[in-house]
Amino acid sequence: MVNDEHRNDPADTPSERPPHNGGDGPAAGRSSTTGTLVRDVALYSVARLALVVVLALLILYVPRAFGVEIPLLIAALFAVLIALPLSLVLFASLRRRVNESIAAVDERRRAAREDLENRLRGEGGR
């Protein structure tokens, strides 16, 4: 059954809708938003890995100044355990950027899916 309320909506005429193909449509913004998400996730991941490496080096070499040897595996495990909560505090702004980028990409995908579903149902005004 077709919903006639949307069929006569003036905002849903083909001239009022953004183009689906081309530089000004939703696909153009998607690549920059997805690129921003990839960049933010990569930056956050590298920052967290760098924190683990720095902590592991500190755990390895600071006790050596006092004559204590700590195995690399133990230092790495402690570095990971310490870095988990520490990265939440130190990299809060990066984490927020990643969350905002994920929300933007999800919103674009949801809107594109709704538009596609509407067009498939014949509610696109064509």
Side-chain angles (χ1 to χ4, degrees):
M1 183 179 216
V2 176
N3 187 353
D4 289 330
E5 291 176 18
H6 294 290
R7 197 174 282 250
N8 296 327
D9 186 10
D12 198 27
T13 60
S15 62
E16 297 294 324
R17 273 186 268 136
H20 297 291
N21 297 332
D24 297 331
R30 183 178 301 136
S31 64
S32 66
T33 304
T34 304
T36 302
L37 173 62
V38 169
R39 185 198 68 213
D40 290 343
V41 168
L43 185 61
Y44 185 61
S45 298
V46 167
R48 290 186 71 181
L49 284 173
L51 180 63
V52 169
V53 169
V54 167
L55 287 172
L57 291 174
L58 285 173
I59 292 170
L60 273 175
Y61 292 111
V62 169
R64 286 190 183 174
F66 301 105
V68 177
E69 281 288 320
I70 296 181
L72 178 62
L73 183 60
I74 301 299
L77 286 173
F78 275 108
V80 168
L81 289 175
I82 294 169
L84 285 172
L86 195 58
S87 67
L88 292 176
V89 174
L90 292 177
F91 307 129
S93 63
L94 279 173
R95 193 181 70 252
R96 269 188 243 110
R97 277 191 1 209
V98 168
N99 289 341
E100 290 168 359
S101 296
I102 289 171
V105 168
D106 283 347
E107 177 60 30
R108 287 188 181 277
R109 287 181 181 166
R110 186 197 57 76
R113 188 180 70 228
E114 277 184 12
D115 182 48
L116 176 62
E117 288 173 354
N118 287 338
R119 287 187 287 139
L120 288 172
R121 279 190 298 246
E123 296 175 2
R126 289 184 180 182

